[in-house]
Amino acid sequence: MRQDDLYINKIDWITIAIYAALVIIGWFNIYAAVYDEQNVKSIFDLSINSGQQLVRIGTAVLIILLIMVADYRLFENLSWILYLVFLVLLLVTPFIGKEVNGQTLSIGFGAFRIQPSEFAKFTTALALAKFMERPSIDLSQPKYQLQVMFIIFLPALFIMLQPDTGTAMVFSAFFIMLYREGMPQWYYVLGLTFVAISLLALGIENNLYLAIGVGVVIAVLILLGKKRWTRIVGLVVLGLLIVGYTYSLDYVVSKLPEHQQNRIMVLFNPNIDPLGVGWNVTQSKIAIGSGGFLGKGYLEGTQTKFDFVPEQHTDFIFCTLGEEFGWVGSLVVIGLFCGLLMRLVMLAERQKNRFSRVYGYCVVSILFFHFMINIAMTIGLFPVVGIPLPFFSYGGSSLWSFTILLFIFIKLDSHRIQLLGRMG
């Protein structure tokens, strides 16, 4: 058997099939989101979003072919260069980019524009994999913990300057990969604790009650300790931290742009202004709920036809699916995403070197974060932060960046036997 035949046989066609299914279903839903029965246009019409997305899908296919014919070592060798290039692009985007709705996210010439923040996800994944491929990297040591966090949060900081809070949040997903690679568990316990306190602080009007309540719970835990002086010191310090954090959180939120404050308020009180700041989420839930079990039928969604949900072809594309295909259609798509994520975990675990495994888990982390947050956003379980549904939402930068992210890993996986001798 020739080496080329062996390489083809090692490609994970199941993952590619799931990718293709999500892209095609997403394309049909983009057409449904812009369908106008008073002025019917073909799904291939380049003057509407579905036609433009088809061109981007064709470009994505070309990108896939380039990745699959390239030398698999190229991505590892260029890891740091790509990371630095997109750091520079992120840094200059606020100065030379095009401003839309108060955000400067894209750069380019004429009609061709890209969002560097989307591509920075896969370059950061490559940089992390390259850094951690060395056997000496031990995430139980503080110096390595600081170094990986610097790699992760530097592009996130530059993205915040645009400002694009939603995309910057995505970089926290890399902590899923770090957990697999041995990051101490106390980081995650501390992180989840602060998330819980933050949600309570935002949801309870009187922070004093929150501070007292959480303080009592922690006090009980500390009093179960063995040494009295550690219990007393710990109680005082944690009490001050809780009170200080809850009040400082109020200050930070008050400094956010008004639209971001509104999104947080809607999360805890969806009915606060259903015709104003709560409109998107309210209409999104109506659209999904009205689909029932089997949906209203393709191109028959009334919420979709009459444009009740803004940005329905991008961040709220899941609404179209829920309304027209109902619970069954939503379950199928969610099942495809879950199947893809489980498949990628399996592929990551079978890698023969640390670079490929770390990169594989980075892919899983990013896709899981996007999938979870986007759907939670459309059903009112998370603030609206402008995170697209992978392979599904309208947009060139989104589709291309996710395609590159995924197919680099598929390429690495197909060469895992050659990488056996380089195990970390």
Side-chain angles (χ1 to χ4, degrees):
M1 182 180 291
R2 294 182 306 169
Q3 187 174 359
D4 289 345
D5 294 333
L6 180 64
Y7 160 67
I8 294 296
N9 291 335
K10 292 298 181 180
I11 294 176
D12 188 69
W13 294 104
I14 294 177
T15 301
I16 294 176
I18 297 175
Y19 163 84
L22 288 171
V23 170
I24 293 171
I25 296 172
W27 179 53
F28 278 103
N29 276 273
I30 289 169
Y31 178 63
V34 298
Y35 177 73
D36 182 2
E37 61 183 0
Q38 303 299 324
N39 184 23
V40 178
K41 294 183 178 180
S42 168
I43 192 172
F44 303 101
D45 193 323
L46 296 180
S47 67
I48 60 176
N49 289 338
S50 60
Q52 295 165 14
Q53 188 71 1
L54 182 60
V55 173
R56 290 160 177 160
I57 292 172
T59 307
V61 173
L62 293 178
I63 291 172
I64 291 170
L65 293 176
L66 289 174
I67 292 173
M68 300 310 287
V69 300
D71 190 321
Y72 67 94
R73 292 163 292 195
L74 178 68
F75 309 108
E76 182 178 353
N77 295 336
L78 293 179
S79 296
W80 287 116
I81 295 175
L82 290 172
Y83 178 75
L84 293 173
V85 166
F86 275 91
L87 276 183
V88 173
L89 290 177
L90 289 174
L91 192 58
V92 301
T93 295
F95 304 101
I96 66 173
K98 180 180 180 181
E99 183 175 335
V100 178
N101 297 326
Q103 294 179 310
T104 308
L105 306 179
S106 63
I107 58 174
F109 303 95
F112 178 76
R113 311 195 70 82
I114 63 168
Q115 288 185 222
S117 58
E118 291 291 335
F119 295 91
K121 299 168 191 175
F122 87 84
T123 61
T124 303
L126 286 172
L128 283 169
K130 183 64 176 176
F131 174 77
M132 294 182 60
E133 72 171 348
R134 292 175 292 166
S136 60
I137 301 297
D138 182 1
L139 291 182
S140 65
Q141 299 182 28
K143 66 176 181 179
Y144 295 126
Q145 296 167 13
L146 291 174
Q147 289 172 21
V148 294
M149 283 191 273
F150 180 80
I151 294 172
I152 292 170
F153 290 121
L154 186 59
L157 176 63
F158 289 170
I159 292 171
M160 286 293 293
L161 299 176
Q162 296 181 0
D164 186 3
T165 307
T167 303
M169 288 174 55
V170 174
F171 286 77
S172 64
F174 287 117
F175 276 83
I176 299 174
M177 175 277 295
L178 295 179
Y179 180 81
R180 166 61 181 84
E181 295 301 317
M183 196 76 160
Q185 294 184 3
W186 69 265
Y187 276 101
Y188 301 88
V189 174
L190 184 64
L192 291 174
T193 300
F194 273 100
V195 169
I197 293 175
S198 300
L199 291 174
L200 289 171
L202 294 169
I204 298 176
E205 292 185 5
N206 194 323
N207 282 338
L208 181 60
Y209 296 153
L210 171 64
I212 293 173
V214 177
V216 168
V217 173
I218 295 178
V220 172
L221 296 176
I222 292 176
L223 291 173
L224 296 176
K226 295 180 179 181
K227 296 181 180 180
R228 176 174 293 183
W229 70 269
T230 57
R231 288 180 289 179
I232 296 173
V233 172
L235 180 61
V236 172
V237 171
L238 284 172
L240 292 173
L241 284 175
I242 293 168
V243 174
Y245 178 71
T246 52
Y247 279 95
S248 63
L249 184 64
D250 271 350
Y251 174 79
V252 171
V253 171
S254 68
K255 297 300 180 182
L256 292 174
E258 184 178 357
H259 71 278
Q260 293 184 356
Q261 294 184 44
N262 292 335
R263 289 171 178 177
I264 294 173
M265 288 191 298
V266 169
L267 175 66
F268 295 99
N269 187 2
N271 299 319
I272 189 172
D273 187 7
L275 299 179
V277 297
W279 176 265
N280 284 29
V281 175
T282 300
Q283 297 303 317
S284 172
K285 291 192 289 185
I286 290 174
I288 295 172
S290 66
F293 186 70
L294 294 175
K296 298 175 180 177
Y298 187 57
L299 304 181
E300 297 299 326
T302 53
Q303 292 289 112
T304 298
K305 284 182 181 179
F306 299 111
D307 296 325
F308 281 103
V309 183
E311 307 298 332
Q312 193 161 344
H313 59 295
T314 55
D315 300 338
F316 284 86
I317 190 67
F318 190 75
C319 302
T320 306
L321 177 74
E323 182 179 20
E324 298 192 345
F325 295 96
W327 182 85
V328 172
S330 300
L331 182 64
V332 169
V333 170
I334 290 173
L336 285 172
F337 273 109
C338 291
L340 176 63
L341 291 170
M342 289 188 290
R343 184 72 182 175
L344 291 174
V345 169
M346 186 201 77
L347 298 184
E349 284 297 330
R350 76 180 186 183
Q351 296 311 300
K352 304 302 181 181
N353 76 331
R354 197 178 188 187
F355 176 87
S356 299
R357 186 182 72 234
V358 169
Y359 183 79
Y361 269 101
C362 286
V363 176
V364 173
S365 302
I366 294 171
L367 293 180
F368 171 74
F369 190 91
H370 271 269
F371 163 67
M372 177 186 68
I373 297 299
N374 179 272
I375 293 181
M377 184 177 72
T378 60
I379 59 178
L381 296 180
F382 198 86
V384 178
V385 291
I387 290 181
L389 190 59
F391 316 121
F392 224 83
S393 295
Y394 172 82
S397 291
S398 171
L399 175 62
W400 297 333
S401 64
F402 285 127
T403 298
I404 294 171
L405 177 77
L406 177 63
F407 277 86
I408 287 177
F409 182 50
I410 292 175
K411 175 69 174 181
L412 292 173
D413 175 69
S414 67
H415 288 279
R416 62 188 179 277
I417 301 301
Q418 289 100 311
L419 291 166
L420 179 62
R422 306 169 64 191
M423 184 181 297

